[in-house]
Amino acid sequence: MHILIGMRNRICDAYSNFDSSLARNWQSPISIGIRKENNLNIRFAGTRIIVMEKLNSTLTAVKNLRSNVRLCFEHLADGTDGEGVEESRNKFVNDFQERFAAINSQLREVEQLINGLPVPPTPYSLGNTAYLAQETSQDRQALYPQLVNSYKWMDKVHDHSFLAFNNLNQNTLRRSYNYCSQKRQRLPFSSFNNDPDHIDKLLSEINTPPHTSYRIFRPFGTNAVTIVTISNVMKAAIVFKGVLIEWVTVKGFDEPLEHDDLWAESRYEVFRKVQDHAHSAMLHFFSPTLPDLAVKSYITWLNSHVKLFLEPCKRCGKFVVNGLPPTWRDLRTLEPFHEDCRNC
């Protein structure tokens, strides 16, 4: 009985040892396939890294070779120094031989590296960049920045063309490029084409103070010239082109101002300064779309000089600074200021 029990225990131990060894050594086909694939990926990655390292070293060697060749040609272009002809010539030849020997050694190194590169099974797909290799000049190799600038320029041209097209379509004067009307249309009212008596009507509509008078004459055809006399202070000649103010001349009350001396300046410095300010105000009130309002506003500003020598400066409170009264009138409030005080 004891013998049977011992044999049974020995058989059980043998089976347990066999199962454990089988579990250690046996693997499923799926696990074997996964391991093989991982090994192939590892080998492929390692091979790729090696190929990239060789390619990088080859490109570095080519770059060094091109640099040395360029330096050699620059050395040849520079020539000798000219001092000590024989010594300089020998030194030049020796330097050239050293550079040439270095180029030969680098060339052999590049050939060895190129021969050591593995041949790819299929050609690399470079896309459209493959066509860049066909250009040999330096001006045509930097294509990408030029293409980007050209694209931006064409995009701007397209936008400006679109805006110009819309503006031309909105233009009412379409006789030359859109259609030809058989009936002649009346010219629209503008700042240049108007009734010659329009200036007379416009000045009569202005609330003229009692100290201001107007005298209108037309020495240039239909365009009017208005002489504005402001009390006993000054005179101003306003030259119109249509309804737009083209020129203003300011002189003292005792100075002559007729159509034959419209461009002559005053002999007084104070009125020359007022004339400069009058030109600034003329540009400020300029409005081709509302010419009547521009003329009325300008005449109102000009009439504010009636107390040119009687009002002190609103900034400093003085009547005279640097020998001049406050010649500037604010364009909105019409308050007097000296030229140095208006920007303070």
mmCIF file of all heavy atoms in Angstrom, residues 196 199-200 215-227 237-242 247 257-263:
data_model
loop_
_atom_site.group_PDB
_atom_site.id
_atom_site.type_symbol
_atom_site.label_atom_id
_atom_site.label_comp_id
_atom_site.label_asym_id
_atom_site.label_seq_id
_atom_site.Cartn_x
_atom_site.Cartn_y
_atom_site.Cartn_z
ATOM 1 N N PRO A 196 -23.191 131.722 -63.677
ATOM 2 C CA PRO A 196 -22.261 132.804 -63.305
ATOM 3 C C PRO A 196 -22.768 133.694 -62.189
ATOM 4 O O PRO A 196 -21.966 134.286 -61.455
ATOM 5 C CB PRO A 196 -22.102 133.590 -64.611
ATOM 6 C CG PRO A 196 -22.435 132.615 -65.688
ATOM 7 C CD PRO A 196 -23.494 131.708 -65.112
ATOM 8 N N ILE A 199 -22.513 133.026 -57.493
ATOM 9 C CA ILE A 199 -21.718 133.630 -56.425
ATOM 10 C C ILE A 199 -22.424 134.866 -55.866
ATOM 11 O O ILE A 199 -22.448 135.095 -54.646
ATOM 12 C CB ILE A 199 -20.316 133.984 -56.944
ATOM 13 C CG1 ILE A 199 -19.540 132.705 -57.263
ATOM 14 C CG2 ILE A 199 -19.537 134.813 -55.929
ATOM 15 C CD1 ILE A 199 -19.251 131.850 -56.058
ATOM 16 N N ASP A 200 -23.041 135.658 -56.764
ATOM 17 C CA ASP A 200 -23.772 136.838 -56.297
ATOM 18 C C ASP A 200 -24.917 136.442 -55.376
ATOM 19 O O ASP A 200 -25.123 137.059 -54.308
ATOM 20 C CB ASP A 200 -24.301 137.635 -57.498
ATOM 21 C CG ASP A 200 -23.185 138.064 -58.442
ATOM 22 O OD1 ASP A 200 -22.367 137.204 -58.835
ATOM 23 O OD2 ASP A 200 -23.141 139.246 -58.782
ATOM 24 N N ARG A 215 -17.517 143.325 -53.228
ATOM 25 C CA ARG A 215 -17.492 143.871 -54.584
ATOM 26 C C ARG A 215 -17.042 142.750 -55.520
ATOM 27 O O ARG A 215 -15.956 142.185 -55.338
ATOM 28 C CB ARG A 215 -16.547 145.063 -54.668
ATOM 29 C CG ARG A 215 -16.525 145.738 -56.036
ATOM 30 C CD ARG A 215 -15.916 147.134 -55.902
ATOM 31 N NE ARG A 215 -14.568 147.076 -55.343
ATOM 32 C CZ ARG A 215 -13.445 146.980 -56.079
ATOM 33 N NH1 ARG A 215 -13.543 146.933 -57.412
ATOM 34 N NH2 ARG A 215 -12.264 146.966 -55.514
ATOM 35 N N ILE A 216 -17.892 142.427 -56.484
ATOM 36 C CA ILE A 216 -17.660 141.267 -57.345
ATOM 37 C C ILE A 216 -17.391 141.749 -58.767
ATOM 38 O O ILE A 216 -18.124 142.610 -59.287
ATOM 39 C CB ILE A 216 -18.873 140.322 -57.323
ATOM 40 C CG1 ILE A 216 -19.174 139.857 -55.894
ATOM 41 C CG2 ILE A 216 -18.630 139.112 -58.220
ATOM 42 C CD1 ILE A 216 -20.435 139.031 -55.760
ATOM 43 N N PHE A 217 -16.358 141.211 -59.387
ATOM 44 C CA PHE A 217 -16.094 141.443 -60.806
ATOM 45 C C PHE A 217 -15.497 140.165 -61.388
ATOM 46 O O PHE A 217 -15.052 139.273 -60.654
ATOM 47 C CB PHE A 217 -15.162 142.643 -61.011
ATOM 48 C CG PHE A 217 -13.857 142.556 -60.280
ATOM 49 C CD1 PHE A 217 -12.723 142.042 -60.886
ATOM 50 C CD2 PHE A 217 -13.766 142.986 -58.954
ATOM 51 C CE1 PHE A 217 -11.530 141.964 -60.212
ATOM 52 C CE2 PHE A 217 -12.562 142.898 -58.271
ATOM 53 C CZ PHE A 217 -11.446 142.386 -58.895
ATOM 54 N N ARG A 218 -15.506 140.067 -62.693
ATOM 55 C CA ARG A 218 -15.108 138.842 -63.402
ATOM 56 C C ARG A 218 -14.065 139.175 -64.479
ATOM 57 O O ARG A 218 -14.391 139.279 -65.650
ATOM 58 C CB ARG A 218 -16.328 138.156 -64.010
ATOM 59 C CG ARG A 218 -17.264 137.561 -62.980
ATOM 60 C CD ARG A 218 -18.508 136.959 -63.595
ATOM 61 N NE ARG A 218 -19.279 136.248 -62.579
ATOM 62 C CZ ARG A 218 -20.124 136.833 -61.748
ATOM 63 N NH1 ARG A 218 -20.310 138.161 -61.818
ATOM 64 N NH2 ARG A 218 -20.779 136.125 -60.848
ATOM 65 N N PRO A 219 -12.811 139.293 -64.080
ATOM 66 C CA PRO A 219 -11.780 139.556 -65.099
ATOM 67 C C PRO A 219 -11.359 138.302 -65.864
ATOM 68 O O PRO A 219 -10.681 138.408 -66.886
ATOM 69 C CB PRO A 219 -10.607 140.096 -64.276
ATOM 70 C CG PRO A 219 -10.780 139.456 -62.932
ATOM 71 C CD PRO A 219 -12.270 139.313 -62.727
ATOM 72 N N PHE A 220 -11.742 137.109 -65.387
ATOM 73 C CA PHE A 220 -11.333 135.847 -66.015
ATOM 74 C C PHE A 220 -12.526 135.117 -66.634
ATOM 75 O O PHE A 220 -12.613 133.894 -66.574
ATOM 76 C CB PHE A 220 -10.654 134.941 -64.991
ATOM 77 C CG PHE A 220 -9.571 135.617 -64.215
ATOM 78 C CD1 PHE A 220 -9.690 135.798 -62.848
ATOM 79 C CD2 PHE A 220 -8.449 136.110 -64.852
ATOM 80 C CE1 PHE A 220 -8.684 136.422 -62.124
ATOM 81 C CE2 PHE A 220 -7.441 136.753 -64.142
ATOM 82 C CZ PHE A 220 -7.562 136.909 -62.763
ATOM 83 N N GLY A 221 -13.473 135.831 -67.177
ATOM 84 C CA GLY A 221 -14.620 135.189 -67.783
ATOM 85 C C GLY A 221 -15.725 134.979 -66.775
ATOM 86 O O GLY A 221 -16.173 135.915 -66.097
ATOM 87 N N THR A 222 -16.177 133.755 -66.655
ATOM 88 C CA THR A 222 -17.287 133.460 -65.746
ATOM 89 C C THR A 222 -16.851 133.318 -64.303
ATOM 90 O O THR A 222 -17.680 133.418 -63.394
ATOM 91 C CB THR A 222 -17.991 132.169 -66.191
ATOM 92 O OG1 THR A 222 -17.049 131.093 -66.188
ATOM 93 C CG2 THR A 222 -18.585 132.329 -67.583
ATOM 94 N N ASN A 223 -15.566 133.060 -64.060
ATOM 95 C CA ASN A 223 -15.081 132.899 -62.684
ATOM 96 C C ASN A 223 -15.005 134.268 -62.011
ATOM 97 O O ASN A 223 -14.469 135.237 -62.573
ATOM 98 C CB ASN A 223 -13.710 132.224 -62.671
ATOM 99 C CG ASN A 223 -13.784 130.791 -63.175
ATOM 100 O OD1 ASN A 223 -14.735 130.073 -62.879
ATOM 101 N ND2 ASN A 223 -12.784 130.371 -63.933
ATOM 102 N N ALA A 224 -15.516 134.315 -60.790
ATOM 103 C CA ALA A 224 -15.653 135.587 -60.083
ATOM 104 C C ALA A 224 -14.462 135.841 -59.179
ATOM 105 O O ALA A 224 -13.793 134.918 -58.706
ATOM 106 C CB ALA A 224 -16.938 135.595 -59.266
ATOM 107 N N VAL A 225 -14.227 137.138 -58.947
ATOM 108 C CA VAL A 225 -13.251 137.603 -57.961
ATOM 109 C C VAL A 225 -13.997 138.556 -57.035
ATOM 110 O O VAL A 225 -14.612 139.530 -57.486
ATOM 111 C CB VAL A 225 -12.056 138.301 -58.616
ATOM 112 C CG1 VAL A 225 -11.116 138.865 -57.544
ATOM 113 C CG2 VAL A 225 -11.303 137.351 -59.529
ATOM 114 N N THR A 226 -13.957 138.267 -55.739
ATOM 115 C CA THR A 226 -14.707 139.055 -54.755
ATOM 116 C C THR A 226 -13.729 139.804 -53.867
ATOM 117 O O THR A 226 -12.818 139.202 -53.283
ATOM 118 C CB THR A 226 -15.598 138.139 -53.893
ATOM 119 O OG1 THR A 226 -16.482 137.411 -54.746
ATOM 120 C CG2 THR A 226 -16.400 138.949 -52.902
ATOM 121 N N ILE A 227 -13.908 141.105 -53.768
ATOM 122 C CA ILE A 227 -13.122 141.940 -52.864
ATOM 123 C C ILE A 227 -13.947 142.136 -51.598
ATOM 124 O O ILE A 227 -15.026 142.754 -51.631
ATOM 125 C CB ILE A 227 -12.763 143.302 -53.490
ATOM 126 C CG1 ILE A 227 -12.023 143.088 -54.824
ATOM 127 C CG2 ILE A 227 -11.911 144.116 -52.533
ATOM 128 C CD1 ILE A 227 -10.707 142.380 -54.705
ATOM 129 N N ALA A 237 -9.056 139.643 -51.227
ATOM 130 C CA ALA A 237 -9.501 139.305 -52.580
ATOM 131 C C ALA A 237 -9.606 137.782 -52.664
ATOM 132 O O ALA A 237 -8.616 137.072 -52.488
ATOM 133 C CB ALA A 237 -8.537 139.828 -53.623
ATOM 134 N N ILE A 238 -10.817 137.272 -52.941
ATOM 135 C CA ILE A 238 -11.083 135.836 -53.021
ATOM 136 C C ILE A 238 -11.310 135.486 -54.479
ATOM 137 O O ILE A 238 -12.251 135.984 -55.109
ATOM 138 C CB ILE A 238 -12.302 135.448 -52.166
ATOM 139 C CG1 ILE A 238 -12.112 135.893 -50.720
ATOM 140 C CG2 ILE A 238 -12.544 133.954 -52.230
ATOM 141 C CD1 ILE A 238 -13.319 135.636 -49.835
ATOM 142 N N VAL A 239 -10.460 134.624 -55.022
ATOM 143 C CA VAL A 239 -10.556 134.190 -56.413
ATOM 144 C C VAL A 239 -11.289 132.863 -56.432
ATOM 145 O O VAL A 239 -10.860 131.887 -55.789
ATOM 146 C CB VAL A 239 -9.165 134.058 -57.058
ATOM 147 C CG1 VAL A 239 -9.289 133.615 -58.511
ATOM 148 C CG2 VAL A 239 -8.410 135.378 -56.959
ATOM 149 N N PHE A 240 -12.396 132.811 -57.180
ATOM 150 C CA PHE A 240 -13.220 131.612 -57.269
ATOM 151 C C PHE A 240 -12.964 130.897 -58.596
ATOM 152 O O PHE A 240 -12.674 131.529 -59.617
ATOM 153 C CB PHE A 240 -14.704 131.949 -57.164
ATOM 154 C CG PHE A 240 -15.149 132.391 -55.807
ATOM 155 C CD1 PHE A 240 -15.159 133.747 -55.471
ATOM 156 C CD2 PHE A 240 -15.555 131.465 -54.867
ATOM 157 C CE1 PHE A 240 -15.568 134.159 -54.226
ATOM 158 C CE2 PHE A 240 -15.970 131.879 -53.617
ATOM 159 C CZ PHE A 240 -15.977 133.222 -53.299
ATOM 160 N N LYS A 241 -13.098 129.598 -58.563
ATOM 161 C CA LYS A 241 -13.204 128.776 -59.774
ATOM 162 C C LYS A 241 -14.500 128.000 -59.651
ATOM 163 O O LYS A 241 -14.568 126.965 -58.999
ATOM 164 C CB LYS A 241 -12.020 127.831 -59.927
ATOM 165 C CG LYS A 241 -12.054 127.046 -61.223
ATOM 166 C CD LYS A 241 -10.826 126.156 -61.365
ATOM 167 C CE LYS A 241 -10.871 125.414 -62.691
ATOM 168 N NZ LYS A 241 -9.693 124.517 -62.869
ATOM 169 N N GLY A 242 -15.521 128.499 -60.294
ATOM 170 C CA GLY A 242 -16.850 127.970 -60.013
ATOM 171 C C GLY A 242 -17.302 128.467 -58.661
ATOM 172 O O GLY A 242 -17.485 129.670 -58.433
ATOM 173 N N TRP A 247 -7.796 131.062 -54.480
ATOM 174 C CA TRP A 247 -6.715 131.886 -53.960
ATOM 175 C C TRP A 247 -7.290 133.013 -53.115
ATOM 176 O O TRP A 247 -8.411 133.462 -53.350
ATOM 177 C CB TRP A 247 -5.881 132.475 -55.112
ATOM 178 C CG TRP A 247 -4.693 133.256 -54.653
ATOM 179 C CD1 TRP A 247 -4.568 134.624 -54.595
ATOM 180 C CD2 TRP A 247 -3.456 132.743 -54.175
ATOM 181 N NE1 TRP A 247 -3.335 134.982 -54.120
ATOM 182 C CE2 TRP A 247 -2.612 133.833 -53.849
ATOM 183 C CE3 TRP A 247 -2.962 131.450 -54.000
ATOM 184 C CZ2 TRP A 247 -1.335 133.675 -53.350
ATOM 185 C CZ3 TRP A 247 -1.673 131.296 -53.516
ATOM 186 C CH2 TRP A 247 -0.868 132.393 -53.197
ATOM 187 N N LEU A 257 -6.083 147.230 -53.806
ATOM 188 C CA LEU A 257 -6.323 145.816 -54.096
ATOM 189 C C LEU A 257 -7.310 145.737 -55.254
ATOM 190 O O LEU A 257 -8.520 145.874 -55.076
ATOM 191 C CB LEU A 257 -6.867 145.089 -52.862
ATOM 192 C CG LEU A 257 -7.079 143.571 -53.009
ATOM 193 C CD1 LEU A 257 -5.783 142.865 -53.392
ATOM 194 C CD2 LEU A 257 -7.634 142.979 -51.722
ATOM 195 N N GLU A 258 -6.780 145.553 -56.449
ATOM 196 C CA GLU A 258 -7.605 145.444 -57.636
ATOM 197 C C GLU A 258 -7.272 144.137 -58.358
ATOM 198 O O GLU A 258 -6.408 143.365 -57.919
ATOM 199 C CB GLU A 258 -7.393 146.656 -58.555
ATOM 200 C CG GLU A 258 -7.760 147.992 -57.933
ATOM 201 C CD GLU A 258 -9.246 148.094 -57.613
ATOM 202 O OE1 GLU A 258 -10.037 147.391 -58.287
ATOM 203 O OE2 GLU A 258 -9.606 148.870 -56.715
ATOM 204 N N HIS A 259 -7.956 143.918 -59.494
ATOM 205 C CA HIS A 259 -7.785 142.657 -60.204
ATOM 206 C C HIS A 259 -6.412 142.536 -60.841
ATOM 207 O O HIS A 259 -5.983 141.439 -61.182
ATOM 208 C CB HIS A 259 -8.868 142.524 -61.286
ATOM 209 C CG HIS A 259 -8.789 143.587 -62.338
ATOM 210 N ND1 HIS A 259 -7.978 143.500 -63.447
ATOM 211 C CD2 HIS A 259 -9.429 144.791 -62.430
ATOM 212 C CE1 HIS A 259 -8.112 144.576 -64.187
ATOM 213 N NE2 HIS A 259 -9.004 145.385 -63.605
ATOM 214 N N ASP A 260 -5.680 143.646 -61.004
ATOM 215 C CA ASP A 260 -4.368 143.571 -61.634
ATOM 216 C C ASP A 260 -3.240 143.299 -60.640
ATOM 217 O O ASP A 260 -2.098 143.077 -61.045
ATOM 218 C CB ASP A 260 -4.060 144.863 -62.398
ATOM 219 C CG ASP A 260 -4.207 146.097 -61.522
ATOM 220 O OD1 ASP A 260 -4.749 145.962 -60.404
ATOM 221 O OD2 ASP A 260 -3.777 147.191 -61.948
ATOM 222 N N ASP A 261 -3.510 143.346 -59.329
ATOM 223 C CA ASP A 261 -2.483 143.035 -58.335
ATOM 224 C C ASP A 261 -3.000 142.009 -57.314
ATOM 225 O O ASP A 261 -2.813 142.160 -56.108
ATOM 226 C CB ASP A 261 -2.014 144.303 -57.624
ATOM 227 C CG ASP A 261 -3.163 145.028 -56.946
ATOM 228 O OD1 ASP A 261 -4.320 144.647 -57.186
ATOM 229 O OD2 ASP A 261 -2.904 145.953 -56.170
ATOM 230 N N LEU A 262 -3.669 140.975 -57.836
ATOM 231 C CA LEU A 262 -4.225 139.953 -56.942
ATOM 232 C C LEU A 262 -3.147 139.065 -56.319
ATOM 233 O O LEU A 262 -3.391 138.430 -55.284
ATOM 234 C CB LEU A 262 -5.219 139.073 -57.716
ATOM 235 C CG LEU A 262 -6.493 139.753 -58.220
ATOM 236 C CD1 LEU A 262 -7.317 138.767 -59.036
ATOM 237 C CD2 LEU A 262 -7.300 140.277 -57.038
ATOM 238 N N TRP A 263 -1.981 138.977 -56.959
ATOM 239 C CA TRP A 263 -0.957 138.038 -56.486
ATOM 240 C C TRP A 263 0.149 138.741 -55.698
ATOM 241 O O TRP A 263 1.071 138.069 -55.235
ATOM 242 C CB TRP A 263 -0.351 137.304 -57.685
ATOM 243 C CG TRP A 263 -1.371 136.922 -58.711
ATOM 244 C CD1 TRP A 263 -1.489 137.424 -59.967
ATOM 245 C CD2 TRP A 263 -2.436 135.993 -58.562
ATOM 246 N NE1 TRP A 263 -2.550 136.860 -60.627
ATOM 247 C CE2 TRP A 263 -3.153 135.964 -59.775
ATOM 248 C CE3 TRP A 263 -2.862 135.160 -57.525
ATOM 249 C CZ2 TRP A 263 -4.265 135.158 -59.997
ATOM 250 C CZ3 TRP A 263 -3.973 134.351 -57.739
ATOM 251 C CH2 TRP A 263 -4.661 134.355 -58.951
#
